[in-house]
Amino acid sequence: MRFLAITLIVHRPDPVTGRRKSTHERFREVLGNAVLAEELGFDGFGVGERHERPFISSSPTVVLSHVAALTRRIRLFTAVTTLSLLDPVRAYEDYATLDHLSEGRLDLIIGKGNGTAQRELFHVTPEDQWDRNAESYEVFRQLWRRDKVTAKTRFRPELTDAEVWPRPYQRPVRVWHGSATSRESVDLAARYGDPLFSANVTNPIEPYAELVRYYRERWEHYGHDPADIAVGAGSAGLLVAPTTQQALAAYRPVFEANLAFFRRAGLPVVFETLEDFVERSSALIGSPQQVIDKVHRYHEQFGHTVLHLHADAGGLTDTRHRDSLELFQSAVAPVLRKDIPDPPFPWAPVHPAAEEPAHV
């Protein structure tokens, strides 16, 4: 099994202390967390893309380029690239450049991934968002694979023998499809034989497990080998401590502060108590053995081989958060790596391109 640390770069007051870091401090914190993730042995570091408050992750390519300069081994993920909002030509240019600068360490997770404010900002409607996502991905996919692309499009000017530069480093880049609530993303992933990444954060397991089962059905429907399936899954929180009691005591102020925030903001509350949150959500809160057992329970439903954890402290003290990550890597990850297989592809650059001849 492989492990990612992921941030959406939420920028709001600390749920426990009430202090909000400056924008500059928050970005520096993200970079520090990426370096720490590599030091601790994580396999990937992911940055989300959002274009509305309270997020400041509107430019993941810029952030990941800086992370690439500070790290050497860890793979870089987007989480998710919101292709329904983007021009696929411009997205290709940004990510192909990042892939070269990172020596082929880029993986993309794509998805619709937009709320009302983002849709309005980019003039995307609920009726056309899925078609935009599919069209943008199809164009993006061709641009990565072909030197010249012709495409009849609805949502951007058509392409006729278009050349887009730079040509890619990885041939091709690996693209995961983010899955939260809709079968459209799942079907798109299965159609192209691409891996799936379940959000698995907001609700109990069943709706996510149902979409993963549908993905497996559609995968076979499109004629792909079931042995080639790769599924990733998110988690709703992390705190690993020597005992369950210590973990619950340390996480309770975070949970209660977040619960109060959801209620003030009029957001739906799925888990009313910390105990219910720990039991029925995907949060990994408890002793090392408790966390291992929970990941195994989810694996029985998902068959996932990649797991993402929160890169941010999210209300924990920096020391508590680091201790939790260190304990996860020393006592949890080795067991899960042994028990659960890796994805069915190398965790390395995808067919790095040979040096291209100079063009006159």
Side-chain angles (χ1 to χ4, degrees), residues 103-137:
E103 304 287 347
R105 287 189 281 145
L106 176 65
D107 273 52
L108 285 112
I109 307 175
I110 68 159
K112 174 182 70 67
N114 60 67
T116 301
Q118 295 186 105
R119 286 199 307 268
E120 292 176 352
L121 186 64
F122 289 91
H123 298 280
V124 173
T125 69
E127 293 75 27
D128 69 21
Q129 58 187 343
W130 292 110
D131 290 339
R132 285 178 179 271
N133 186 63
E135 178 183 288
S136 291
Y137 176 57

PDB file of all heavy atoms in Angstrom, residues 103-137:
ATOM      1  N   GLU A 103      11.027  16.100 -12.772  1.00  0.00           N
ATOM      2  CA  GLU A 103      11.646  14.857 -13.256  1.00  0.00           C
ATOM      3  C   GLU A 103      10.642  13.712 -13.335  1.00  0.00           C
ATOM      4  O   GLU A 103      10.945  12.572 -12.993  1.00  0.00           O
ATOM      5  CB  GLU A 103      12.840  14.450 -12.369  1.00  0.00           C
ATOM      6  CG  GLU A 103      13.917  15.503 -12.227  1.00  0.00           C
ATOM      7  CD  GLU A 103      14.753  15.677 -13.482  1.00  0.00           C
ATOM      8  OE1 GLU A 103      14.665  14.820 -14.380  1.00  0.00           O
ATOM      9  OE2 GLU A 103      15.473  16.695 -13.564  1.00  0.00           O
ATOM     10  N   GLY A 104       9.426  14.028 -13.783  1.00  0.00           N
ATOM     11  CA  GLY A 104       8.438  12.977 -13.990  1.00  0.00           C
ATOM     12  C   GLY A 104       7.816  12.436 -12.717  1.00  0.00           C
ATOM     13  O   GLY A 104       7.399  11.281 -12.671  1.00  0.00           O
ATOM     14  N   ARG A 105       7.688  13.291 -11.692  1.00  0.00           N
ATOM     15  CA  ARG A 105       7.089  12.833 -10.428  1.00  0.00           C
ATOM     16  C   ARG A 105       5.611  13.178 -10.315  1.00  0.00           C
ATOM     17  O   ARG A 105       5.010  13.022  -9.248  1.00  0.00           O
ATOM     18  CB  ARG A 105       7.847  13.437  -9.245  1.00  0.00           C
ATOM     19  CG  ARG A 105       9.216  12.824  -9.018  1.00  0.00           C
ATOM     20  CD  ARG A 105       9.825  13.298  -7.718  1.00  0.00           C
ATOM     21  NE  ARG A 105      10.406  14.624  -7.814  1.00  0.00           N
ATOM     22  CZ  ARG A 105      10.386  15.520  -6.833  1.00  0.00           C
ATOM     23  NH1 ARG A 105       9.771  15.270  -5.692  1.00  0.00           N
ATOM     24  NH2 ARG A 105      10.964  16.695  -6.990  1.00  0.00           N
ATOM     25  N   LEU A 106       4.986  13.608 -11.388  1.00  0.00           N
ATOM     26  CA  LEU A 106       3.604  14.094 -11.330  1.00  0.00           C
ATOM     27  C   LEU A 106       2.589  12.980 -11.554  1.00  0.00           C
ATOM     28  O   LEU A 106       2.725  12.168 -12.463  1.00  0.00           O
ATOM     29  CB  LEU A 106       3.404  15.174 -12.397  1.00  0.00           C
ATOM     30  CG  LEU A 106       1.988  15.731 -12.548  1.00  0.00           C
ATOM     31  CD1 LEU A 106       1.555  16.478 -11.292  1.00  0.00           C
ATOM     32  CD2 LEU A 106       1.906  16.641 -13.779  1.00  0.00           C
ATOM     33  N   ASP A 107       1.565  12.919 -10.710  1.00  0.00           N
ATOM     34  CA  ASP A 107       0.323  12.187 -10.938  1.00  0.00           C
ATOM     35  C   ASP A 107      -0.801  13.206 -10.837  1.00  0.00           C
ATOM     36  O   ASP A 107      -0.771  14.071  -9.951  1.00  0.00           O
ATOM     37  CB  ASP A 107       0.084  11.110  -9.873  1.00  0.00           C
ATOM     38  CG  ASP A 107       0.742   9.785 -10.194  1.00  0.00           C
ATOM     39  OD1 ASP A 107       1.952   9.751 -10.483  1.00  0.00           O
ATOM     40  OD2 ASP A 107       0.041   8.759 -10.114  1.00  0.00           O
ATOM     41  N   LEU A 108      -1.805  13.097 -11.700  1.00  0.00           N
ATOM     42  CA  LEU A 108      -2.964  13.972 -11.591  1.00  0.00           C
ATOM     43  C   LEU A 108      -4.165  13.207 -11.067  1.00  0.00           C
ATOM     44  O   LEU A 108      -4.375  12.046 -11.435  1.00  0.00           O
ATOM     45  CB  LEU A 108      -3.327  14.568 -12.950  1.00  0.00           C
ATOM     46  CG  LEU A 108      -2.414  15.681 -13.444  1.00  0.00           C
ATOM     47  CD1 LEU A 108      -1.631  15.200 -14.650  1.00  0.00           C
ATOM     48  CD2 LEU A 108      -3.214  16.907 -13.808  1.00  0.00           C
ATOM     49  N   ILE A 109      -4.927  13.835 -10.200  1.00  0.00           N
ATOM     50  CA  ILE A 109      -6.277  13.376  -9.875  1.00  0.00           C
ATOM     51  C   ILE A 109      -7.197  14.464 -10.422  1.00  0.00           C
ATOM     52  O   ILE A 109      -7.098  15.623 -10.031  1.00  0.00           O
ATOM     53  CB  ILE A 109      -6.501  13.195  -8.372  1.00  0.00           C
ATOM     54  CG1 ILE A 109      -5.420  12.310  -7.755  1.00  0.00           C
ATOM     55  CG2 ILE A 109      -7.883  12.607  -8.110  1.00  0.00           C
ATOM     56  CD1 ILE A 109      -5.516  12.176  -6.231  1.00  0.00           C
ATOM     57  N   ILE A 110      -8.058  14.094 -11.356  1.00  0.00           N
ATOM     58  CA  ILE A 110      -8.942  15.084 -11.962  1.00  0.00           C
ATOM     59  C   ILE A 110     -10.372  14.866 -11.477  1.00  0.00           C
ATOM     60  O   ILE A 110     -10.719  13.795 -10.985  1.00  0.00           O
ATOM     61  CB  ILE A 110      -8.902  15.029 -13.500  1.00  0.00           C
ATOM     62  CG1 ILE A 110      -9.535  13.729 -14.016  1.00  0.00           C
ATOM     63  CG2 ILE A 110      -7.486  15.189 -14.014  1.00  0.00           C
ATOM     64  CD1 ILE A 110      -9.995  13.799 -15.448  1.00  0.00           C
ATOM     65  N   GLY A 111     -11.194  15.898 -11.633  1.00  0.00           N
ATOM     66  CA  GLY A 111     -12.593  15.754 -11.264  1.00  0.00           C
ATOM     67  C   GLY A 111     -13.358  17.024 -11.533  1.00  0.00           C
ATOM     68  O   GLY A 111     -12.772  18.081 -11.807  1.00  0.00           O
ATOM     69  N   LYS A 112     -14.666  16.909 -11.449  1.00  0.00           N
ATOM     70  CA  LYS A 112     -15.521  18.096 -11.582  1.00  0.00           C
ATOM     71  C   LYS A 112     -15.182  19.066 -10.468  1.00  0.00           C
ATOM     72  O   LYS A 112     -14.912  20.229 -10.703  1.00  0.00           O
ATOM     73  CB  LYS A 112     -16.991  17.684 -11.530  1.00  0.00           C
ATOM     74  CG  LYS A 112     -17.946  18.861 -11.527  1.00  0.00           C
ATOM     75  CD  LYS A 112     -19.371  18.395 -11.423  1.00  0.00           C
ATOM     76  CE  LYS A 112     -19.689  17.814 -10.070  1.00  0.00           C
ATOM     77  NZ  LYS A 112     -19.659  18.833  -8.975  1.00  0.00           N
ATOM     78  N   GLY A 113     -15.250  18.612  -9.240  1.00  0.00           N
ATOM     79  CA  GLY A 113     -14.717  19.302  -8.082  1.00  0.00           C
ATOM     80  C   GLY A 113     -15.090  20.760  -7.929  1.00  0.00           C
ATOM     81  O   GLY A 113     -14.245  21.553  -7.527  1.00  0.00           O
ATOM     82  N   ASN A 114     -16.318  21.157  -8.235  1.00  0.00           N
ATOM     83  CA  ASN A 114     -16.631  22.575  -8.073  1.00  0.00           C
ATOM     84  C   ASN A 114     -17.948  22.777  -7.347  1.00  0.00           C
ATOM     85  O   ASN A 114     -18.883  22.005  -7.485  1.00  0.00           O
ATOM     86  CB  ASN A 114     -16.662  23.284  -9.434  1.00  0.00           C
ATOM     87  CG  ASN A 114     -17.698  22.720 -10.387  1.00  0.00           C
ATOM     88  OD1 ASN A 114     -18.888  22.841 -10.144  1.00  0.00           O
ATOM     89  ND2 ASN A 114     -17.256  22.095 -11.463  1.00  0.00           N
ATOM     90  N   GLY A 115     -18.004  23.849  -6.571  1.00  0.00           N
ATOM     91  CA  GLY A 115     -19.232  24.255  -5.921  1.00  0.00           C
ATOM     92  C   GLY A 115     -19.840  25.447  -6.642  1.00  0.00           C
ATOM     93  O   GLY A 115     -19.355  25.883  -7.691  1.00  0.00           O
ATOM     94  N   THR A 116     -20.898  26.007  -6.075  1.00  0.00           N
ATOM     95  CA  THR A 116     -21.641  27.086  -6.741  1.00  0.00           C
ATOM     96  C   THR A 116     -20.765  28.295  -7.028  1.00  0.00           C
ATOM     97  O   THR A 116     -20.778  28.848  -8.138  1.00  0.00           O
ATOM     98  CB  THR A 116     -22.840  27.499  -5.877  1.00  0.00           C
ATOM     99  OG1 THR A 116     -23.687  26.366  -5.677  1.00  0.00           O
ATOM    100  CG2 THR A 116     -23.625  28.603  -6.551  1.00  0.00           C
ATOM    101  N   ALA A 117     -19.973  28.738  -6.036  1.00  0.00           N
ATOM    102  CA  ALA A 117     -19.153  29.934  -6.229  1.00  0.00           C
ATOM    103  C   ALA A 117     -18.137  29.728  -7.339  1.00  0.00           C
ATOM    104  O   ALA A 117     -17.888  30.631  -8.151  1.00  0.00           O
ATOM    105  CB  ALA A 117     -18.448  30.304  -4.926  1.00  0.00           C
ATOM    106  N   GLN A 118     -17.539  28.542  -7.397  1.00  0.00           N
ATOM    107  CA  GLN A 118     -16.561  28.260  -8.457  1.00  0.00           C
ATOM    108  C   GLN A 118     -17.235  28.216  -9.828  1.00  0.00           C
ATOM    109  O   GLN A 118     -16.714  28.738 -10.806  1.00  0.00           O
ATOM    110  CB  GLN A 118     -15.850  26.938  -8.176  1.00  0.00           C
ATOM    111  CG  GLN A 118     -14.994  26.958  -6.922  1.00  0.00           C
ATOM    112  CD  GLN A 118     -14.207  25.677  -6.762  1.00  0.00           C
ATOM    113  OE1 GLN A 118     -13.015  25.637  -6.983  1.00  0.00           O
ATOM    114  NE2 GLN A 118     -14.874  24.608  -6.375  1.00  0.00           N
ATOM    115  N   ARG A 119     -18.389  27.575  -9.893  1.00  0.00           N
ATOM    116  CA  ARG A 119     -19.101  27.512 -11.177  1.00  0.00           C
ATOM    117  C   ARG A 119     -19.432  28.912 -11.679  1.00  0.00           C
ATOM    118  O   ARG A 119     -19.266  29.223 -12.861  1.00  0.00           O
ATOM    119  CB  ARG A 119     -20.387  26.689 -11.029  1.00  0.00           C
ATOM    120  CG  ARG A 119     -20.185  25.197 -10.909  1.00  0.00           C
ATOM    121  CD  ARG A 119     -21.472  24.461 -11.246  1.00  0.00           C
ATOM    122  NE  ARG A 119     -22.609  24.924 -10.480  1.00  0.00           N
ATOM    123  CZ  ARG A 119     -22.998  24.405  -9.323  1.00  0.00           C
ATOM    124  NH1 ARG A 119     -22.332  23.407  -8.789  1.00  0.00           N
ATOM    125  NH2 ARG A 119     -24.052  24.874  -8.689  1.00  0.00           N
ATOM    126  N   GLU A 120     -19.913  29.761 -10.786  1.00  0.00           N
ATOM    127  CA  GLU A 120     -20.285  31.113 -11.200  1.00  0.00           C
ATOM    128  C   GLU A 120     -19.062  31.910 -11.639  1.00  0.00           C
ATOM    129  O   GLU A 120     -19.123  32.689 -12.596  1.00  0.00           O
ATOM    130  CB  GLU A 120     -21.008  31.823 -10.058  1.00  0.00           C
ATOM    131  CG  GLU A 120     -22.388  31.222  -9.766  1.00  0.00           C
ATOM    132  CD  GLU A 120     -23.075  31.865  -8.577  1.00  0.00           C
ATOM    133  OE1 GLU A 120     -22.406  32.676  -7.883  1.00  0.00           O
ATOM    134  OE2 GLU A 120     -24.254  31.560  -8.333  1.00  0.00           O
ATOM    135  N   LEU A 121     -17.934  31.706 -10.972  1.00  0.00           N
ATOM    136  CA  LEU A 121     -16.708  32.412 -11.316  1.00  0.00           C
ATOM    137  C   LEU A 121     -16.261  32.085 -12.735  1.00  0.00           C
ATOM    138  O   LEU A 121     -15.766  32.950 -13.467  1.00  0.00           O
ATOM    139  CB  LEU A 121     -15.609  32.047 -10.316  1.00  0.00           C
ATOM    140  CG  LEU A 121     -14.283  32.795 -10.414  1.00  0.00           C
ATOM    141  CD1 LEU A 121     -14.471  34.281 -10.132  1.00  0.00           C
ATOM    142  CD2 LEU A 121     -13.264  32.194  -9.450  1.00  0.00           C
ATOM    143  N   PHE A 122     -16.468  30.823 -13.138  1.00  0.00           N
ATOM    144  CA  PHE A 122     -16.015  30.376 -14.457  1.00  0.00           C
ATOM    145  C   PHE A 122     -17.164  30.189 -15.453  1.00  0.00           C
ATOM    146  O   PHE A 122     -16.966  29.630 -16.525  1.00  0.00           O
ATOM    147  CB  PHE A 122     -15.225  29.070 -14.317  1.00  0.00           C
ATOM    148  CG  PHE A 122     -13.876  29.262 -13.669  1.00  0.00           C
ATOM    149  CD1 PHE A 122     -13.725  29.144 -12.290  1.00  0.00           C
ATOM    150  CD2 PHE A 122     -12.772  29.578 -14.433  1.00  0.00           C
ATOM    151  CE1 PHE A 122     -12.494  29.324 -11.690  1.00  0.00           C
ATOM    152  CE2 PHE A 122     -11.532  29.756 -13.843  1.00  0.00           C
ATOM    153  CZ  PHE A 122     -11.387  29.639 -12.467  1.00  0.00           C
ATOM    154  N   HIS A 123     -18.363  30.631 -15.086  1.00  0.00           N
ATOM    155  CA  HIS A 123     -19.531  30.548 -15.967  1.00  0.00           C
ATOM    156  C   HIS A 123     -19.804  29.106 -16.416  1.00  0.00           C
ATOM    157  O   HIS A 123     -20.024  28.838 -17.602  1.00  0.00           O
ATOM    158  CB  HIS A 123     -19.367  31.472 -17.180  1.00  0.00           C
ATOM    159  CG  HIS A 123     -19.265  32.915 -16.815  1.00  0.00           C
ATOM    160  ND1 HIS A 123     -20.363  33.680 -16.512  1.00  0.00           N
ATOM    161  CD2 HIS A 123     -18.185  33.711 -16.677  1.00  0.00           C
ATOM    162  CE1 HIS A 123     -19.962  34.910 -16.212  1.00  0.00           C
ATOM    163  NE2 HIS A 123     -18.651  34.943 -16.299  1.00  0.00           N
ATOM    164  N   VAL A 124     -19.763  28.212 -15.446  1.00  0.00           N
ATOM    165  CA  VAL A 124     -20.102  26.802 -15.675  1.00  0.00           C
ATOM    166  C   VAL A 124     -21.448  26.547 -15.012  1.00  0.00           C
ATOM    167  O   VAL A 124     -21.712  27.037 -13.907  1.00  0.00           O
ATOM    168  CB  VAL A 124     -19.015  25.880 -15.094  1.00  0.00           C
ATOM    169  CG1 VAL A 124     -19.423  24.413 -15.170  1.00  0.00           C
ATOM    170  CG2 VAL A 124     -17.696  26.098 -15.831  1.00  0.00           C
ATOM    171  N   THR A 125     -22.325  25.802 -15.665  1.00  0.00           N
ATOM    172  CA  THR A 125     -23.649  25.549 -15.111  1.00  0.00           C
ATOM    173  C   THR A 125     -23.749  24.122 -14.590  1.00  0.00           C
ATOM    174  O   THR A 125     -22.999  23.235 -15.017  1.00  0.00           O
ATOM    175  CB  THR A 125     -24.736  25.753 -16.179  1.00  0.00           C
ATOM    176  OG1 THR A 125     -24.624  24.704 -17.164  1.00  0.00           O
ATOM    177  CG2 THR A 125     -24.580  27.110 -16.861  1.00  0.00           C
ATOM    178  N   PRO A 126     -24.698  23.883 -13.672  1.00  0.00           N
ATOM    179  CA  PRO A 126     -24.912  22.496 -13.219  1.00  0.00           C
ATOM    180  C   PRO A 126     -25.268  21.560 -14.367  1.00  0.00           C
ATOM    181  O   PRO A 126     -24.947  20.371 -14.318  1.00  0.00           O
ATOM    182  CB  PRO A 126     -26.083  22.630 -12.235  1.00  0.00           C
ATOM    183  CG  PRO A 126     -26.039  24.041 -11.764  1.00  0.00           C
ATOM    184  CD  PRO A 126     -25.556  24.834 -12.947  1.00  0.00           C
ATOM    185  N   GLU A 127     -25.892  22.100 -15.403  1.00  0.00           N
ATOM    186  CA  GLU A 127     -26.315  21.256 -16.530  1.00  0.00           C
ATOM    187  C   GLU A 127     -25.150  20.844 -17.421  1.00  0.00           C
ATOM    188  O   GLU A 127     -25.170  19.759 -18.011  1.00  0.00           O
ATOM    189  CB  GLU A 127     -27.366  21.987 -17.373  1.00  0.00           C
ATOM    190  CG  GLU A 127     -28.704  22.214 -16.667  1.00  0.00           C
ATOM    191  CD  GLU A 127     -28.640  23.323 -15.630  1.00  0.00           C
ATOM    192  OE1 GLU A 127     -27.793  24.247 -15.760  1.00  0.00           O
ATOM    193  OE2 GLU A 127     -29.433  23.255 -14.654  1.00  0.00           O
ATOM    194  N   ASP A 128     -24.126  21.705 -17.550  1.00  0.00           N
ATOM    195  CA  ASP A 128     -23.052  21.362 -18.487  1.00  0.00           C
ATOM    196  C   ASP A 128     -21.750  20.933 -17.813  1.00  0.00           C
ATOM    197  O   ASP A 128     -20.782  20.589 -18.486  1.00  0.00           O
ATOM    198  CB  ASP A 128     -22.772  22.527 -19.448  1.00  0.00           C
ATOM    199  CG  ASP A 128     -22.145  23.758 -18.788  1.00  0.00           C
ATOM    200  OD1 ASP A 128     -21.548  23.648 -17.708  1.00  0.00           O
ATOM    201  OD2 ASP A 128     -22.249  24.852 -19.383  1.00  0.00           O
ATOM    202  N   GLN A 129     -21.716  20.909 -16.482  1.00  0.00           N
ATOM    203  CA  GLN A 129     -20.440  20.673 -15.801  1.00  0.00           C
ATOM    204  C   GLN A 129     -19.851  19.287 -16.099  1.00  0.00           C
ATOM    205  O   GLN A 129     -18.634  19.152 -16.278  1.00  0.00           O
ATOM    206  CB  GLN A 129     -20.595  20.863 -14.291  1.00  0.00           C
ATOM    207  CG  GLN A 129     -21.628  19.981 -13.643  1.00  0.00           C
ATOM    208  CD  GLN A 129     -21.854  20.346 -12.186  1.00  0.00           C
ATOM    209  OE1 GLN A 129     -21.051  21.028 -11.567  1.00  0.00           O
ATOM    210  NE2 GLN A 129     -22.957  19.869 -11.619  1.00  0.00           N
ATOM    211  N   TRP A 130     -20.712  18.276 -16.189  1.00  0.00           N
ATOM    212  CA  TRP A 130     -20.187  16.933 -16.446  1.00  0.00           C
ATOM    213  C   TRP A 130     -19.698  16.806 -17.882  1.00  0.00           C
ATOM    214  O   TRP A 130     -18.667  16.170 -18.150  1.00  0.00           O
ATOM    215  CB  TRP A 130     -21.244  15.872 -16.134  1.00  0.00           C
ATOM    216  CG  TRP A 130     -21.540  15.785 -14.679  1.00  0.00           C
ATOM    217  CD1 TRP A 130     -22.682  16.159 -14.031  1.00  0.00           C
ATOM    218  CD2 TRP A 130     -20.656  15.316 -13.657  1.00  0.00           C
ATOM    219  NE1 TRP A 130     -22.571  15.963 -12.686  1.00  0.00           N
ATOM    220  CE2 TRP A 130     -21.332  15.440 -12.422  1.00  0.00           C
ATOM    221  CE3 TRP A 130     -19.358  14.821 -13.659  1.00  0.00           C
ATOM    222  CZ2 TRP A 130     -20.755  15.071 -11.215  1.00  0.00           C
ATOM    223  CZ3 TRP A 130     -18.774  14.451 -12.455  1.00  0.00           C
ATOM    224  CH2 TRP A 130     -19.475  14.583 -11.248  1.00  0.00           C
ATOM    225  N   ASP A 131     -20.411  17.415 -18.822  1.00  0.00           N
ATOM    226  CA  ASP A 131     -19.964  17.394 -20.210  1.00  0.00           C
ATOM    227  C   ASP A 131     -18.646  18.155 -20.360  1.00  0.00           C
ATOM    228  O   ASP A 131     -17.762  17.749 -21.125  1.00  0.00           O
ATOM    229  CB  ASP A 131     -21.022  18.003 -21.125  1.00  0.00           C
ATOM    230  CG  ASP A 131     -22.253  17.120 -21.258  1.00  0.00           C
ATOM    231  OD1 ASP A 131     -22.141  15.909 -20.985  1.00  0.00           O
ATOM    232  OD2 ASP A 131     -23.319  17.640 -21.630  1.00  0.00           O
ATOM    233  N   ARG A 132     -18.526  19.270 -19.648  1.00  0.00           N
ATOM    234  CA  ARG A 132     -17.270  20.010 -19.687  1.00  0.00           C
ATOM    235  C   ARG A 132     -16.118  19.172 -19.133  1.00  0.00           C
ATOM    236  O   ARG A 132     -15.006  19.160 -19.699  1.00  0.00           O
ATOM    237  CB  ARG A 132     -17.395  21.306 -18.872  1.00  0.00           C
ATOM    238  CG  ARG A 132     -18.193  22.410 -19.536  1.00  0.00           C
ATOM    239  CD  ARG A 132     -18.296  23.616 -18.619  1.00  0.00           C
ATOM    240  NE  ARG A 132     -19.028  24.715 -19.226  1.00  0.00           N
ATOM    241  CZ  ARG A 132     -18.482  25.672 -19.964  1.00  0.00           C
ATOM    242  NH1 ARG A 132     -17.178  25.642 -20.197  1.00  0.00           N
ATOM    243  NH2 ARG A 132     -19.211  26.630 -20.469  1.00  0.00           N
ATOM    244  N   ASN A 133     -16.363  18.497 -18.026  1.00  0.00           N
ATOM    245  CA  ASN A 133     -15.325  17.670 -17.423  1.00  0.00           C
ATOM    246  C   ASN A 133     -14.860  16.587 -18.393  1.00  0.00           C
ATOM    247  O   ASN A 133     -13.653  16.374 -18.587  1.00  0.00           O
ATOM    248  CB  ASN A 133     -15.849  17.038 -16.132  1.00  0.00           C
ATOM    249  CG  ASN A 133     -14.789  16.274 -15.380  1.00  0.00           C
ATOM    250  OD1 ASN A 133     -13.796  16.847 -14.935  1.00  0.00           O
ATOM    251  ND2 ASN A 133     -14.978  14.967 -15.237  1.00  0.00           N
ATOM    252  N   ALA A 134     -15.816  15.900 -19.020  1.00  0.00           N
ATOM    253  CA  ALA A 134     -15.469  14.814 -19.946  1.00  0.00           C
ATOM    254  C   ALA A 134     -14.745  15.358 -21.177  1.00  0.00           C
ATOM    255  O   ALA A 134     -13.728  14.795 -21.610  1.00  0.00           O
ATOM    256  CB  ALA A 134     -16.726  14.057 -20.362  1.00  0.00           C
ATOM    257  N   GLU A 135     -15.252  16.462 -21.741  1.00  0.00           N
ATOM    258  CA  GLU A 135     -14.608  17.014 -22.933  1.00  0.00           C
ATOM    259  C   GLU A 135     -13.189  17.496 -22.630  1.00  0.00           C
ATOM    260  O   GLU A 135     -12.247  17.226 -23.386  1.00  0.00           O
ATOM    261  CB  GLU A 135     -15.431  18.174 -23.489  1.00  0.00           C
ATOM    262  CG  GLU A 135     -14.780  18.835 -24.704  1.00  0.00           C
ATOM    263  CD  GLU A 135     -15.552  20.027 -25.208  1.00  0.00           C
ATOM    264  OE1 GLU A 135     -16.645  19.814 -25.794  1.00  0.00           O
ATOM    265  OE2 GLU A 135     -15.073  21.174 -25.034  1.00  0.00           O
ATOM    266  N   SER A 136     -13.036  18.198 -21.513  1.00  0.00           N
ATOM    267  CA  SER A 136     -11.709  18.701 -21.162  1.00  0.00           C
ATOM    268  C   SER A 136     -10.732  17.557 -20.963  1.00  0.00           C
ATOM    269  O   SER A 136      -9.565  17.634 -21.381  1.00  0.00           O
ATOM    270  CB  SER A 136     -11.787  19.555 -19.897  1.00  0.00           C
ATOM    271  OG  SER A 136     -12.468  20.766 -20.141  1.00  0.00           O
ATOM    272  N   TYR A 137     -11.197  16.479 -20.317  1.00  0.00           N
ATOM    273  CA  TYR A 137     -10.296  15.348 -20.126  1.00  0.00           C
ATOM    274  C   TYR A 137      -9.921  14.698 -21.448  1.00  0.00           C
ATOM    275  O   TYR A 137      -8.758  14.344 -21.671  1.00  0.00           O
ATOM    276  CB  TYR A 137     -10.910  14.300 -19.197  1.00  0.00           C
ATOM    277  CG  TYR A 137     -10.000  13.086 -19.073  1.00  0.00           C
ATOM    278  CD1 TYR A 137      -8.694  13.240 -18.630  1.00  0.00           C
ATOM    279  CD2 TYR A 137     -10.423  11.827 -19.458  1.00  0.00           C
ATOM    280  CE1 TYR A 137      -7.837  12.159 -18.544  1.00  0.00           C
ATOM    281  CE2 TYR A 137      -9.572  10.736 -19.370  1.00  0.00           C
ATOM    282  CZ  TYR A 137      -8.274  10.907 -18.920  1.00  0.00           C
ATOM    283  OH  TYR A 137      -7.418   9.840 -18.855  1.00  0.00           O
TER     284      TYR A 137
END
